[in-house]
Amino acid sequence: MQSINIKSRPRRLRKNEIVRNLVQETILSPAQFIAPVFIHEGKEPEIKINSMPGIFQFSIDRALKHIEELKNNRINSILIFGIPNEKDNEASSAWDENGIIQKANKKIKEHFPDILLVNDTCLCEYMAHGHCGIVLEKDILNDPTLDILQKTAVSQAASGADIIAPSGMMDGMVSAIRSALDQNGFQDTAIISYAVKYASSFYGPFREAAESTPQFGDRKSYQMNPGNKKEAIREALTDEKEGADIIMIKPAMPYLDIILAVKDKVNLPVAAYNVSGEYSMIKAASQNGWLDENKAAYEMLTSIKRAGADIIISYFAKDLLKLLKSFED
Ligand code: PBG
């Protein structure tokens, strides 16, 4: 064979696992994951969610056990969603001091004072019509919804939430919530804003889990058009100015370019929500024997981190240690 002068031989650093790990640029750590948890108001300890294998609606008591399991897996941050018994057109159970989230917050903090407790601050689960705001005929009203979000955020903070996560995509929601929290003595309660949230079909399984499917129309008048990128930057910069502490992008995997673009423009930590559809897709394919679940999930989460997410909210958080291990095998 003729001697060939190949200058660059990247394969030298792929020779074995030790050298591969030595030069690995993106590493997943459970410290940067938030696990979503669904809590319903009934007595039933756990209700299966058919569209999300391995995920349940828990009673408050059963949720405490689940949190213990998460802690044993080094997940110390949770994002809780409430499924109330009663829904109406003012989302009254979202800001009731005896609402499901408020009761859950108190119990969770009593048992786990150190857990980082994030509350989803949205109204769709509490509204009879399933929209994220006050409805007048077919319109979702912006400013009247802000009043309810303020009341909800204050009652969540008062019952123990460390972080408020408004997800309704109402204009001005971050400044409205920030000022309400401050006026009520909750200056130290942080805000993760769902700043860049697309109108996505990947939320399908969540809507079964949270019982929050809109009863008419869709969410396109408040959630973003998947075709837009500059609008994502505008949304993120607006929320940064309004006082958000962390900027979230959602969904994650189909929007890696958006994570990268937003990360470049804001000076706040960036979170990505690896949503229900992204989880269920991998579950379904692996149940069919088409994908290796652990390896595919590991790869998906790594790509989200590599794109620029500092924090990942994922239904796979509970399995992260297992995923990391499967990659080593
Ligand atoms: C509430 C909310 C949704 C999700 C998080 N908060 C659903 C929606 O906007 O329809 C989706 C999360 C997921 O799919 O995992 N507005």
Side-chain angles (χ1 to χ4, degrees):
M1 198 182 67
Q2 260 187 322
S3 79
I4 312 168
N5 181 14
I6 300 177
K7 287 249 170 56
S8 171
R9 290 188 181 270
R11 290 187 57 191
R12 287 181 197 126
L13 302 183
R14 296 179 198 142
K15 223 181 228 168
N16 60 45
E17 201 183 337
I18 294 179
V19 72
R20 285 195 293 272
N21 289 347
L22 185 73
V23 299
Q24 181 165 332
E25 297 168 41
T26 305
I27 308 234
L28 298 175
S29 156
Q32 295 177 326
F33 274 76
I34 301 177
V37 179
F38 298 105
I39 305 179
H40 74 95
E41 207 162 0
K43 291 241 159 0
E44 195 120 356
E46 50 185 54
I47 301 173
K48 251 195 193 150
I49 298 160
N50 290 326
S51 57
M52 300 182 75
I55 304 291
F56 301 85
Q57 288 181 358
F58 292 126
S59 64
I60 295 180
D61 285 340
R62 178 64 186 82
L64 296 175
K65 254 195 238 154
H66 181 64
I67 296 167
E68 186 74 58
E69 289 154 16
L70 288 170
K71 283 169 65 72
N72 293 337
N73 282 287
R74 293 172 42 212
I75 301 292
N76 292 301
S77 304
I78 59 170
L79 165 62
I80 64 171
F81 294 92
I83 298 116
N85 283 341
E86 307 290 337
K87 301 180 192 241
D88 58 23
N89 291 336
E90 286 86 43
S92 342
S93 49
W95 40 275
D96 179 350
E97 65 178 281
N98 289 313
I100 176 64
I101 281 292
Q102 291 75 4
K103 284 188 288 192
N105 280 344
K106 285 181 206 141
K107 266 267 177 84
I108 291 169
K109 278 290 168 174
E110 204 179 290
H111 283 77
F112 306 104
D114 296 334
I115 202 93
L116 188 74
L117 183 55
V118 187
N119 281 184
D120 185 81
T121 306
C122 196
L123 308 176
C124 54
E125 298 107 280
Y126 305 89
M127 289 287 202
H129 48 63
H131 275 289
C132 305
I134 293 282
V135 167
L136 183 65
E137 285 155 26
K138 298 279 170 219
D139 289 336
I140 301 12
L141 304 181
N142 196 86
D143 299 13
T145 301
L146 297 181
D147 290 340
I148 306 191
L149 289 174
Q150 287 180 315
K151 286 196 265 192
T152 304
V154 169
S155 81
Q156 291 176 335
S159 52
D162 299 298
I163 305 188
I164 299 301
S167 71
M169 288 298 280
M170 294 297 126
D171 294 338
M173 68 182 184
V174 173
S175 48
I177 289 174
R178 184 70 271 158
S179 59
L181 290 173
D182 291 352
Q183 279 161 22
N184 286 277
F186 299 110
Q187 287 85 353
D188 293 335
T189 305
I191 299 177
I192 297 185
S193 177
Y194 287 69
V196 181
K197 179 173 177 182
Y198 286 90
S200 172
S201 56
F202 287 87
Y203 309 149
F206 172 95
R207 294 183 186 165
E208 179 190 333
E211 300 175 12
S212 65
T213 309
Q215 300 304 301
F216 67 88
D218 53 39
R219 302 206 201 286
K220 289 182 188 165
S221 75
Y222 41 108
Q223 298 181 349
M224 285 177 53
N225 179 342
N228 292 355
K229 185 167 178 177
K230 285 202 167 156
E231 189 187 358
I233 308 296
R234 285 202 300 279
E235 283 280 8
L237 292 178
T238 302
D239 285 9
E240 184 172 48
K241 272 201 220 101
E242 288 188 15
D245 299 281
I246 296 174
I247 295 293
M248 193 207 296
I249 291 127
K250 175 183 174 190
M253 193 164 58
Y255 295 87
L256 297 178
D257 59 325
I258 306 296
I259 297 175
L260 173 66
V262 169
K263 171 76 177 173
D264 196 43
K265 288 284 192 298
V266 300
N267 290 315
L268 294 173
V270 168
Y273 198 140
N274 177 224
V275 302
S276 55
E278 299 171 60
Y279 172 85
S280 298
M281 244 173 7
I282 289 188
K283 283 281 177 183
S286 79
Q287 283 178 354
N288 273 305
W290 296 340
L291 276 181
D292 178 314
E293 174 180 331
N294 292 337
K295 292 194 166 107
Y298 173 88
E299 194 176 328
M300 168 172 69
L301 296 171
T302 300
S303 71
I304 296 167
K305 184 101 197 275
R306 192 189 60 230
D310 303 295
I311 301 158
I312 302 178
I313 302 167
S314 176
Y315 303 95
F316 282 114
K318 62 182 173 46
D319 307 316
L320 187 66
L321 295 184
K322 195 174 75 188
L323 305 187
L324 293 174
K325 200 165 172 311
S326 88
F327 187 69
E328 289 162 13
D329 296 341

